[in-house]
Amino acid sequence: MTHQTPLLHVEDLLIRRGGVQVLELPRFTITAEEKVAIVGPNGAGKSSLLLGLACLIERSGGKIIFQGAEVVPRTEIAYRRRIAVVFQEPLLFDTTVIDNVAEGLRIRGTGRTEARDVAHDSLELFKIGHLAGRSAHKLSGGEAQRVSLARAFAVKPELILMDEPFSSLDLPTRIGIAEDLGRILHESGTAAIIATHDRIEAFHIVDRLVVMDGGRIVQEGTPKNVIGHPANAFVAAFRRTTGTL
């Protein structure tokens, strides 16, 4: 997909947290409709990369270019309204499921009736339309994460960033949500970056794997290429010890 015009392009991205450099990324690109998995051990920089791309933490240097325009402080809000972020914990409001899903639409100025209609359609995508009136704080872990995903997709983002979204769920729940997410990403054409430890997520969803260590990218390519041809001993060892790849 490298021949396509980038949706998002990063140059010389540096992030420090607590005075320590946690991310150094000379270049990173994702094209429209591409699905990318970021894998690596704890502390590899996966979450810092996603938070940096979402402009939720300050970057120490570098550029984020979205649809050909650099994201600068005065354009960050407009940029964030074109993307969506899903975290490991769903972070749902203490209200009904449908009000949670409609919240992002209302923030963007969508009328109440239209917002609820779109929210209900998004719930149906994730097979939880029957939960619309339930309190968000009375859901199972899998239900809550489906609501979180429905909320993200309701705003029709051009890019969705997901940080370990299934890591706290049991295996059957992870598989079910991953399969539905892969289908929805394909049908909607939404570009996605997902940080994960789980090869089930990676194989069902992505076109490209990016392996990180120490805040840097050490290998990237198709899942088949990374699995079959690890670039160095770290990638080979990480694959064997975790099963991620």
Side-chain angles (χ1 to χ4, degrees):
M1 295 190 180
T2 56
H3 64 284
Q4 297 180 6
T5 301
L7 174 67
L8 179 139
H9 177 68
V10 167
E11 296 177 1
D12 300 319
L13 182 63
L14 295 175
I15 293 178
R16 296 184 178 90
R17 304 181 77 171
V20 177
Q21 183 169 300
V22 295
L23 187 74
E24 180 180 358
L25 211 63
R27 186 177 183 277
F28 177 80
T29 296
I30 182 170
T31 58
E33 301 191 21
E34 188 179 13
K35 286 72 173 166
V36 177
I38 309 292
V39 300
N42 291 334
K46 304 186 300 295
S47 294
S48 294
L49 171 57
L50 294 190
L51 292 172
L53 293 179
C55 296
L56 294 177
I57 58 174
E58 184 177 358
R59 53 187 188 273
S60 304
K63 297 179 180 180
I64 297 174
I65 301 167
F66 189 76
Q67 292 282 48
E70 183 178 354
V71 179
V72 295
R74 65 180 174 82
T75 63
E76 280 186 2
I77 292 177
Y79 162 67
R80 287 203 298 264
R81 288 184 175 179
R82 298 173 68 183
I83 68 173
V85 184
V86 175
F87 298 100
Q88 179 177 343
E89 297 298 326
L91 303 177
L92 301 179
F93 302 115
D94 187 10
T95 184
T96 64
V97 164
I98 197 163
D99 282 341
N100 267 275
V101 176
E103 183 62 26
L105 292 158
R106 289 198 289 267
I107 290 172
R108 288 161 172 79
T110 305
R112 181 175 178 83
T113 300
E114 182 183 354
R116 288 179 68 86
D117 288 344
V118 174
H120 192 272
D121 288 344
S122 194
L123 288 170
E124 290 290 350
L125 276 179
F126 284 93
K127 303 176 182 177
I128 49 172
H130 61 287
L131 298 178
R134 186 178 297 182
S135 167
H137 285 186
K138 295 183 179 179
L139 302 174
S140 68
E143 290 170 340
Q145 199 56 280
R146 284 180 181 269
V147 172
S148 182
L149 287 164
R151 180 172 60 186
F153 276 89
V155 300
K156 296 180 171 53
E158 295 168 67
L159 172 66
I160 185 167
L161 309 173
M162 294 174 275
D163 189 8
E164 302 280 3
F166 313 134
S167 62
S168 62
L169 305 177
D170 60 75
L171 181 59
T173 302
R174 290 205 310 271
I175 293 173
I177 296 179
E179 289 177 346
D180 287 337
L181 177 60
R183 169 181 53 82
I184 293 164
L185 284 170
H186 176 74
E187 292 174 353
S188 66
T190 307
I193 303 173
I194 177 170
T196 179
H197 284 94
D198 194 327
R199 68 180 182 182
I200 292 170
E201 296 162 18
F203 277 93
H204 276 84
I205 295 172
V206 306
D207 309 301
R208 176 162 50 112
L209 290 179
V210 174
V211 185
M212 293 189 67
D213 182 38
R216 294 176 173 84
I217 293 175
V218 295
Q219 186 174 2
E220 60 181 309
T222 64
K224 183 177 180 180
N225 184 63
V226 174
I227 294 163
H229 306 282
N232 55 32
F234 167 79
V235 178
F238 184 63
R239 179 188 63 184
R240 289 195 303 269
T241 58
T242 67
T244 300
L245 306 180

